[in-house]
Amino acid sequence: QVQLVESGGGLVQPGGSLRLSCAASGFSLDYYNIGWFRQAPGKEREGISCISSSDSSTWYAESVKGRFTISRDNAKNTVYLQMNSLRPEDTAVYYCATPRMYSSTCNGVVSQYDYWGQGTQVTVSS
C-alpha cells in the first residue's frame, strides 16, 4: 500500500526556515519521482518542486527558486524540502505526491501525480 506522510510544518516568522519531510512507504524512492505541491486558501494546488528517481535531477517553480531545496535520502525512503527566506505568500498546506508510473524526469503538473499525502500546514506570519 502506497503511503506518503508529510511532517515539519508550523508557524514561522517571515525570513525564517522550515524543513518538510515526506516519508514514503509501500514503494521505493529508488524508482519513483516525488513532487512537492502547495495549496493556499482559495487557490488551486500548484507544483513547487520535484526530484527524479533516475538521476536526482530537480525542478523548482519560479516562486521558490533560490529559496527552497529538495533532496532525498533513499536509505530512509524520505524526501525533504528545505524552505528558507520564507514569505507570507508561502503560507499554504504543503503536500508531497508520487506518480503511479515510472518516468525519468519529473515536473510540477498536479494531474500527473497519483498518490498524495495528507498535507502539512505552513504559516508564515509575524
Side-chain angles (χ1 to χ4, degrees):
Q1 180 181 354
V2 173
Q3 190 172 13
L4 297 167
V5 179
E6 303 95 337
S7 62
L11 173 64
V12 63
Q13 292 186 342
S17 298
L18 283 174
R19 188 178 81 157
L20 305 184
S21 298
C22 172
S25 60
F27 70 103
S28 172
L29 289 181
D30 290 343
Y31 305 108
Y32 292 92
N33 304 332
I34 292 289
W36 279 102
F37 300 79
R38 68 185 181 186
Q39 188 166 18
K43 294 188 177 182
E44 292 188 354
R45 191 169 299 188
E46 62 171 345
I48 56 172
S49 184
C50 67
I51 187 164
S52 73
S53 62
S54 58
D55 60 0
S56 292
S57 58
T58 59
W59 168 84
Y60 297 95
E62 285 300 320
S63 58
V64 305
K65 196 174 291 185
R67 300 188 298 125
F68 291 11
T69 303
I70 191 170
S71 62
R72 70 178 192 207
D73 184 337
N74 283 5
K76 295 183 178 180
N77 223 31
T78 299
V79 171
Y80 303 98
L81 186 68
Q82 177 67 43
M83 307 188 297
N84 299 329
S85 303
L86 284 162
R87 305 166 180 169
E89 54 264 38
D90 294 317
T91 295
V93 178
Y94 284 69
Y95 301 89
C96 62
T98 190
R100 182 179 294 114
M101 301 298 293
Y102 169 82
S103 174
S104 61
T105 60
C106 69
N107 58 56
V109 178
V110 173
S111 61
Q112 294 190 11
Y113 289 78
D114 302 293
Y115 300 102
W116 295 81
Q118 83 290 348
T120 185
Q121 176 71 46
V122 171
T123 303
V124 185
S125 175
S126 54

